[in-house]
Amino acid sequence: MTAEDTGSLLPKGIVKPPKISRHIVTPEEREEAERARREASKAEKKAAKVPKTPLGRWWRGVQSGPNRIQLGMCIVALGVVYGDIGTSPLYMAQSFLAGQGGIQYADRQSVLGMLSLLFWSITLITTVKYVFIAMRIDNKGEGGIFALFSMVRRFGKWLAIPAMIGGAAFLADSVLTPAVSISSAVEGLKTIPQIAPVFDGNENLTLMITVVIIVVLFCIQSRGTERIGKVFGIVVMIWFSFLAVVGIVNIGADWSIFEALNPWYGIEFLLFDPANKAGLAIMGTVFLATTGAEALYSDMGHVGRGNIYATWPFIKVALVFNYFGQGAWMLRNQSNTELYDVKSLNPFFQMMTPSLRSVAVVLSVAAGVIASQALITGAFTMISEATSLNWMPHLQVRYPARTRGQLYIPTVNLVLCVATLSVLAIFRDSERITAAYGLALTITMITTTILLAAYIWCAWKRRVFAIVFAIVFLAIQILFFLASMSKFLHGGWFTMLLTLLILGVMYTWDQGTKVERSQRRHMWPKEFLPALDALHRDFKIPYYADNLVYLTSDNELRRLDTDIFYSIFANHPKRARAWWAVSVQVTDDPFTREYSVENFGTSFLFRVRIRLGFKVSQNVATYLHQIMHDLIKDGTLPRQRSMYPKVDADPEIGTIQYVLVHKALMPESKITSRGATSLRVKYAIRHVAGNPVKWFGLTAYNPVVEIQPLFVSTHKVPGLKRVALRKPKRPVTLQQIRAEQREEMENARAAEISARESDEYRGKSVDSEISDDAEPTTAAPKVKSRSSKDDGSAAAATTGEKPRSATSAKPKVARRAPASIDAIE
């Protein structure tokens, strides 16, 4: 094969793989650069203006810090954060009346007591705990229980337990929120007189409408929360304004309802009032008004802390007006006998005129969708944080917006959609779903309180404040939990089951990761370079590939995983022109494209770290081609020209073989049954969670997936006792078989000789009889002697033996075949 033949072997225009261009800029990058220029220009103009008043200086400080407020992001915050807490008025008062036994039992003391408990629960849980305290404790702008744990885990390993439990409960609640919010809003269509007969004739119509809305909601998640938030933000603003106006209208001129702001009404109703027919379970109803509080903290990374600070006062005022308006309506209609027999009486829709109910239903459906969105985006954030903590498998993450906090995980989106539809199939209506709703979220709030108290104690060093904080909020939330447990048999079991399933995934993944990391080692240059150099120069071993590429999660460039080392040398050594260990690191900047290389002073070993922005496609195969070309140009990598067609259609680089190393547990490993089970479950989850081959663009290169044993210490195996075998009747050894074969050959040879001599003797006997009948001559004995000699020579020639003499033959003949006495004489 000559150099001229090379070009003729490479077809052109058949394969068109992605290429690297140093001049192309994506539209998103141009938009981002333009936005950055505009913001820089605005910042320069603002910096040129010196504020003259203390208020102006304060505002400049706010806008330059983490509490920055933007009008556009405030609208996004309305659409993303407050959906869940904004749907609570749809079913909270309905649950209260059901617990009391009907509106006829909702007297003034009961209503004021319920409203007092509700107001102070919202104030303490949402405003004080989350807005004033929790949101000040953020991890680089991110909130939520996992972000909080990442900051407090250095203070104690045991804090992982409440973090796991709280995260699992929050994710379980994320499944129920779309079902209960949207179904309760859609069921409001039954209260509209014009279309009520349609729903009376088809009981499954509301369920079908709910299913369609939920499917559409999950389908649009890939567009990103920023775009959805802008659309939903306007709707939420209208919704909360509607809540406030309707509440104020129903309060009317009787503002005495605000006596409920006195906390004593709530305490007296809860502990001492015999009219409280629900007893302690009333706190489970009150808790429904705070179900969206956790979303404020978990979605902080999506919209920014300052924007939540700016929008929460409006949200709280609107909620208070609406709840108190429903309370005023209940007091006015306590004696209305027409309402006594109404099934599932809902004050929210009943306090409106029939003409206004259609508007309320439309807005409530939109609010239910928004509530679902708040929990879905929160679930995406929490899954991403759990992955960074190694509590969840690595999943493909997309960033449809320009900020890293706004993300989309296709696998999680699909799982949430299927789980939500399963909830609808099991419970079928909002009344039954409400029985299961809220129980898991009380667990999340309790665990968040524990972690917050640990941070205040250890990081802020405010011991007294930490103790007071823990006592007050744990007492309130444990009370919520005990009250919500009354729902266990009515549907709460489903929420707890989901929580346990998610917790099981987290726990087994964490334990399996710990077992793997306890055995993971890294090798330093003096340990692996000599062996790789010897293999590279060993020409007796053929090349496995020109370039052997391993993907690793280790971002340290001056060491090598033992997994890679043993993969190269296990079984048949994998000799290559160059070995590559490549890691991918995702940065907080959206469009970072960088790489670093360590070659250890060799031309055959390269450790590569690729740093990509969170919005950049992680196409490792394409970027690695550019890196190889760059190294060839500067002389670090020897030239590799390929003569034959390749998938990548790049003749300047040799063949590339990608290798993915997976671990497997050896049966004899010295490990506890719990650790072994955790590893097996982890590997099973990883098998179905996703495929890194697709994530990194390696499908066309047919990568090799290797299974290596997990190098854990093994048990000492007891020795075996050797038992002697019985003596065989037939030969079983090679020596015995060969001796038997030799004996058989000798016996066969002896039998053949004996047969030939017997034939010879019979021939001589016949000749003797003929000689006795004829006249004797003197020559006869000589002739006979010569004939005997000749016959002996012939027999000797036949058998391969030395001929025998006539004198020796004569006695033998006379002795073996005496034919007659005359012949002997």
Side-chain angles (χ1 to χ4, degrees):
M1 184 68 67
T2 63
E4 288 75 12
D5 297 327
T6 303
S8 62
L9 295 177
L10 299 175
K12 297 181 179 180
I14 304 300
V15 180
K16 295 181 179 180
K19 302 292 184 180
I20 292 293
S21 174
R22 302 180 187 274
H23 307 289
I24 293 178
V25 179
T26 63
E28 289 183 330
E29 289 183 78
R30 286 196 295 268
E31 181 182 349
E32 181 69 16
E34 182 62 27
R35 186 184 65 84
R37 283 193 294 268
R38 289 197 303 266
E39 291 186 354
S41 177
K42 291 181 181 179
E44 291 178 359
K45 292 180 180 179
K46 290 181 180 179
K49 296 180 180 179
V50 179
K52 299 180 180 179
T53 63
L55 181 61
R57 289 191 291 271
W58 171 81
W59 180 250
R60 169 174 286 189
V62 169
Q63 291 298 89
S64 60
N67 298 332
R68 182 182 180 186
I69 299 174
Q70 297 174 287
L71 180 59
M73 290 306 295
C74 284
I75 297 176
V76 173
L78 289 174
V80 173
V81 177
Y82 299 113
D84 191 11
I85 201 169
T87 57
S88 298
L90 292 174
Y91 43 78
M92 197 285 302
Q94 180 185 15
S95 179
F96 167 70
L97 292 180
Q100 288 296 110
I103 192 172
Q104 60 269 29
Y105 299 105
D107 57 11
R108 182 175 182 84
Q109 189 172 356
S110 300
V111 172
L112 292 181
M114 182 271 295
L115 292 177
S116 178
L117 292 173
L118 182 147
F119 175 80
W120 287 106
S121 295
I122 294 178
T123 301
L124 291 175
I125 299 298
T126 308
T127 306
V128 177
K129 177 187 171 182
Y130 285 103
V131 177
F132 288 167
I133 299 176
M135 290 179 61
R136 293 181 57 193
I137 304 174
D138 65 284
N139 186 8
K140 298 179 180 179
E142 293 289 343
I145 191 169
F146 289 153
L148 177 60
F149 169 74
S150 64
M151 295 185 292
V152 301
R153 58 180 172 179
R154 66 182 185 273
F155 303 131
K157 294 182 179 179
W158 66 273
L159 293 172
I161 298 175
M164 281 187 185
I165 296 174
F170 182 87
L171 292 174
D173 190 73
S174 300
V175 174
L176 269 71
T177 297
V180 68
S181 300
I182 298 176
S183 62
S184 62
V186 172
E187 288 171 5
L189 294 171
K190 296 180 180 179
T191 64
I192 302 176
Q194 293 81 0
I195 60 176
V198 178
F199 291 92
D200 293 338
N202 189 351
E203 296 181 356
N204 295 325
L205 184 58
T206 56
L207 180 63
M208 296 169 59
I209 296 174
T210 304
V211 168
V212 171
I213 294 174
I214 287 176
V215 171
V216 172
L217 172 65
F218 281 100
C219 288
I220 64 176
Q221 292 301 311
S222 60
R223 290 182 168 271
T225 57
E226 185 176 11
R227 296 178 182 178
I228 296 174
K230 288 180 179 179
V231 175
F232 285 175
I234 304 298
V235 177
V236 169
M237 187 182 301
I238 297 172
W239 168 249
F240 279 99
S241 300
F242 178 79
L243 292 179
V245 171
V246 170
I248 293 173
V249 170
N250 278 272
I251 292 173
D254 185 14
W255 292 86
S256 64
I257 192 70
F258 284 95
E259 292 178 6
L261 296 180
N262 185 349
W264 177 248
Y265 282 98
I267 297 173
E268 184 181 16
F269 176 68
L270 177 65
L271 301 178
F272 309 111
D273 192 350
N276 180 13
K277 298 184 180 300
L280 186 64
I282 189 65
M283 294 302 294
T285 299
V286 172
F287 179 74
L288 295 175
T290 64
T291 51
E294 187 74 26
L296 272 70
Y297 188 38
S298 62
D299 287 334
M300 183 171 62
H302 293 250
V303 298
R305 181 168 56 197
N307 299 306
I308 296 178
Y309 284 159
T311 53
W312 170 243
F314 164 69
I315 299 299
K316 184 178 180 181
V317 169
L319 289 173
V320 169
F321 276 135
N322 189 266
Y323 283 126
F324 279 65
Q326 292 187 46
W329 178 87
M330 286 187 282
L331 292 179
R332 287 197 307 270
N333 291 273
Q334 182 187 0
S335 301
N336 187 352
T337 56
E338 296 179 358
L339 300 176
Y340 290 175
D341 297 328
V342 176
K343 185 180 179 181
S344 299
L345 181 65
N346 191 337
F348 177 79
F349 291 106
Q350 292 292 336
M351 69 179 181
M352 304 176 197
T353 60
S355 60
L356 192 60
R357 288 177 190 172
S358 57
V359 178
V361 169
V362 173
L363 290 176
S364 62
V365 170
V369 171
I370 296 168
S372 305
Q373 179 63 51
L375 268 295
I376 293 170
T377 53
F380 290 156
T381 302
M382 296 195 74
I383 290 292
S384 177
E385 293 169 350
T387 301
S388 63
L389 293 171
N390 284 304
W391 289 353
M392 283 284 186
H394 179 74
L395 300 171
Q396 186 179 18
V397 180
R398 299 177 185 174
Y399 300 89
R402 66 173 183 265
T403 58
R404 190 177 183 183
Q406 302 181 32
L407 48 86
Y408 167 69
I409 306 177
T411 303
V412 176
N413 190 64
L414 178 61
V415 171
L416 285 176
C417 181
V418 173
T420 303
L421 295 178
S422 300
V423 169
L424 288 173
I426 294 172
F427 295 99
R428 304 188 68 83
D429 59 47
S430 62
E431 185 177 356
R432 296 177 182 175
I433 300 173
T434 304
Y437 186 57
L439 178 58
L441 201 55
T442 60
I443 300 174
T444 304
M445 289 187 175
I446 291 172
T447 54
T448 303
T449 300
I450 295 173
L451 298 180
L452 287 172
Y455 187 87
I456 295 170
W457 178 283
C458 299
W460 287 359
K461 304 296 183 181
R462 298 180 181 179
R463 306 297 170 83
V464 176
F465 179 61
I467 294 173
V468 173
F469 175 84
I471 292 175
V472 171
F473 288 102
L474 283 179
I476 297 173
Q477 290 160 359
I478 290 175
L479 189 62
F480 283 151
F481 174 75
L482 295 176
S484 299
M485 283 299 292
S486 62
K487 304 178 180 180
F488 184 81
L489 296 179
H490 301 283
W493 60 268
F494 185 81
T495 306
M496 298 302 292
L497 179 61
L498 285 177
T499 301
L500 291 176
L501 288 175
I502 299 171
L503 180 62
V505 172
M506 291 184 183
Y507 180 78
T508 53
W509 194 271
D510 176 62
Q511 293 299 311
T513 302
K514 287 180 179 178
V515 173
E516 286 183 334
R517 287 186 171 182
S518 66
Q519 309 304 323
R520 184 176 183 180
R521 283 198 313 112
H522 298 96
M523 304 178 68
W524 299 102
K526 66 178 181 180
E527 297 174 315
F528 59 79
L529 279 179
L532 290 174
D533 180 57
L535 177 59
H536 184 259
R537 293 185 288 105
D538 191 351
F539 297 99
K540 299 187 298 297
I541 300 177
Y543 282 123
Y544 182 81
D546 292 329
N547 298 280
L548 194 59
V549 182
Y550 291 89
L551 297 181
T552 176
S553 59
D554 183 23
N555 290 319
E556 175 57 50
L557 297 184
R558 290 179 173 84
R559 64 187 185 187
L560 192 68
D561 283 346
T562 53
D563 295 343
I564 298 176
F565 185 82
Y566 284 111
S567 173
I568 294 174
F569 288 96
N571 300 326
H572 186 75
K574 298 181 181 67
R575 183 167 174 255
R577 298 183 188 274
W579 293 283
W580 304 78
V582 182
S583 64
V584 178
Q585 183 179 8
V586 180
T587 66
D588 293 333
D589 184 79
F591 298 107
T592 301
R593 292 185 180 89
E594 301 172 350
Y595 75 91
S596 302
V597 179
E598 173 61 67
N599 69 333
F600 304 98
T602 70
S603 62
F604 55 81
L605 179 61
F606 300 91
R607 280 287 281 114
V608 180
R609 180 178 60 217
I610 302 176
R611 300 180 73 248
L612 300 176
F614 59 82
K615 288 186 68 66
V616 176
S617 174
Q618 297 183 4
N619 195 328
V620 173
T622 302
Y623 291 123
L624 191 58
H625 275 72
Q626 177 203 337
I627 295 171
M628 290 180 176
H629 280 288
D630 292 346
L631 296 180
I632 289 175
K633 288 180 180 179
D634 63 21
T636 306
L637 178 67
R639 290 189 172 275
Q640 303 176 352
R641 184 165 181 83
S642 177
M643 297 190 304
Y644 297 102
K646 296 164 54 191
V647 173
D648 55 19
D650 191 346
E652 302 300 325
I653 297 176
T655 58
I656 301 176
Q657 179 64 67
Y658 289 89
V659 179
L660 303 177
V661 179
H662 290 171
K663 306 296 289 184
L665 185 65
M666 294 184 294
E668 63 275 11
S669 298
K670 187 178 181 180
I671 188 174
T672 62
S673 58
R674 184 179 65 179
T677 302
S678 300
L679 279 174
R680 294 189 182 97
V681 174
K682 176 180 178 178
Y683 295 152
I685 295 172
R686 185 175 60 188
H687 181 71
V688 300
N691 187 3
V693 174
K694 180 180 179 181
W695 303 340
F696 297 118
L698 308 179
T699 306
Y701 295 87
N702 193 23
V704 175
V705 178
E706 288 188 355
I707 304 298
Q708 288 189 10
L710 189 63
F711 293 100
V712 298
S713 58
T714 56
H715 292 283
K716 291 185 177 180
V717 180
L720 300 177
K721 179 181 178 181
R722 183 171 181 177
V723 179
L725 297 176
R726 292 179 300 174
K727 187 175 181 181
K729 297 180 179 180
R730 296 181 179 181
V732 295
T733 65
L734 179 63
Q735 294 79 4
Q736 291 175 341
I737 293 173
R738 287 180 175 175
E740 186 181 57
Q741 290 175 346
R742 287 195 299 267
E743 183 178 355
E744 291 176 354
M745 291 176 63
E746 291 176 359
N747 291 339
R749 187 181 302 166
E752 183 180 359
I753 293 173
S754 177
R756 289 182 178 178
E757 289 180 350
S758 178
D759 293 342
E760 178 183 350
Y761 175 76
R762 285 195 297 271
K764 290 181 180 179
S765 297
V766 174
D767 292 341
S768 298
E769 291 176 358
I770 294 174
S771 300
D772 290 342
D773 294 339
E775 186 177 348
T777 58
T778 57
K782 187 176 182 180
V783 172
K784 186 176 181 180
S785 175
R786 187 184 303 114
S787 176
S788 300
K789 184 177 181 180
D790 293 341
D791 292 342
S793 301
T798 304
T799 60
E801 298 179 350
K802 293 182 178 180
R804 291 175 293 210
S805 62
T807 55
S808 62
K810 284 181 180 179
K812 184 176 182 180
V813 173
R815 185 168 57 250
R816 295 181 64 181
S820 63
I821 297 176
D822 295 336
I824 294 174
E825 294 177 348

